[in-house]
Amino acid sequence: WTSAFLRWPIAIALLLAFASAIARVRTLPWLPASHTRRWKSNIAIIAVLCLGSFGKLVVEFSSVFSARAYDGSPLALSWPIPRVNTVVANGGSSFFTNPHRLEDTQQYALDIVGLDPTYERRAHGVYPSSLSDYVVFGAEVVAPCSGNIAAVENAVPDFAPPSRGSELPAGNHVILYCGGHSVLLAHLRRGSVRVHAGDRVREGDPVGSVGNSGNTSEPHLHIHAVKGEVQPNEIRADAVAVPMLFDGQFLVRGDSHPRR
């Protein structure tokens, strides 16, 4: 929401603020003053007890540490937005890094946004309504693998945030069949799709550009892969998700990819 440069400074500042707050405690309303020092020395025990009352949340949050784990054989792909500095906004095997985990078919999906090269901001402003204020809007999208175009959509309008379209959640999209898998590239810009169903494309061929069509909160590229050659209505609900590797890596939220 601010700048990728501020990821660690903000986290460190929060930890220091918490430590400072604990250090400043002199008395507690439910403990005698003489016991306050003992309370401070046992802060770890108290924290564990507090977190224990939210057991399920603790268990779920612990999945962040295994966000790079996946099941099955991954599909090797090339990066679909090669000419813009990008970062993974949602991705990985934990709900806390990837809300798509709630849907079995999309559990390994990635949402990709752009970053400006100077300040590493995804947009000019916190949440602007102008599509042109988003770095990734209009960026060229290329085929991440060689194969056949199974389906396309190119007429869905782009919405200005925070508006979104729900009739066709994927918006303008391309479904590419390659290596025994179907790959969905979604939320493309209206009128930007350059391919047609039945076309043969090679890895790196332009297929469209990033937009804000469909059920999307802001301009970004959604990509996920499933097993087999499936129908357009199956790729989001009735298929088996496949993990994806980009340049040999399984990406999670916060991973960046420089332009080539």
Side-chain angles (χ1 to χ4, degrees):
W1 289 92
T2 53
S3 165
F5 288 136
L6 298 179
R7 275 181 285 197
W8 294 112
I10 288 176
I12 292 171
L14 287 172
L15 288 175
L16 290 176
F18 178 75
S20 175
I22 295 299
R24 289 171 183 270
V25 172
R26 295 293 180 266
T27 60
L28 295 171
W30 62 89
L31 284 179
S34 60
H35 291 182
T36 300
R37 181 172 297 178
R38 184 183 302 170
W39 174 83
K40 289 170 123 178
S41 66
N42 292 316
I43 182 64
I45 296 175
I46 293 176
V48 169
L49 291 174
C50 290
L51 290 174
S53 63
F54 302 98
K56 187 175 187 299
L57 179 62
V58 174
V59 171
E60 290 290 339
F61 184 73
S62 67
S63 67
V64 169
F65 300 102
S66 60
R68 295 190 188 276
Y70 56 84
D71 297 321
S73 299
L75 174 64
L77 299 172
S78 62
W79 197 240
I81 310 178
R83 293 178 176 83
V84 174
N85 291 329
T86 48
V87 67
V88 177
N90 291 308
S93 297
S94 165
F95 170 77
F96 285 92
T97 65
N98 189 7
H100 294 296
R101 290 288 293 177
L102 291 175
E103 299 186 43
D104 290 342
T105 303
Q106 302 182 51
Q107 62 179 297
Y108 297 118
L110 297 183
D111 290 331
I112 306 167
V113 299
L115 297 176
D116 71 64
T118 304
Y119 301 107
E120 290 207 355
R121 300 173 301 176
R122 78 191 206 299
H124 302 293
V126 175
Y127 194 35
S129 58
S130 173
L131 294 173
S132 61
D133 283 337
Y134 292 86
V135 175
V136 80
F137 183 73
E140 184 179 68
V141 177
V142 302
C145 54
S146 298
N148 297 317
I149 301 298
V152 302
E153 177 60 56
N154 197 27
V156 180
D158 293 287
F159 291 88
S163 300
R164 59 175 69 196
S166 58
E167 291 185 3
L168 188 62
N172 301 308
H173 62 269
V174 170
I175 298 177
L176 176 60
Y177 179 66
C178 60
H181 301 81
S182 295
V183 180
L184 173 67
L185 302 165
H187 309 313
L188 302 178
R189 187 175 184 178
R190 183 180 189 178
S192 72
V193 178
R194 307 182 187 183
V195 293
H196 302 86
D199 287 353
R200 175 74 181 176
V201 296
R202 293 181 299 178
E203 180 181 315
D205 286 348
V207 297
S209 61
V210 178
N212 196 47
S213 58
N215 187 17
T216 169
S217 58
E218 66 176 71
H220 70 278
L221 179 69
H222 170 104
I223 178 172
H224 77 262
V226 300
K227 289 184 179 180
E229 187 171 9
V230 300
Q231 298 300 315
N233 63 327
E234 296 175 331
I235 198 166
R236 295 189 67 257
D238 299 308
V240 178
V242 175
M244 304 171 292
L245 298 185
F246 295 93
D247 297 329
Q249 296 185 348
F250 182 78
L251 303 179
V252 304
R253 174 184 289 169
D255 286 339
S256 58
H257 199 285
R259 64 182 179 182
R260 293 199 291 266

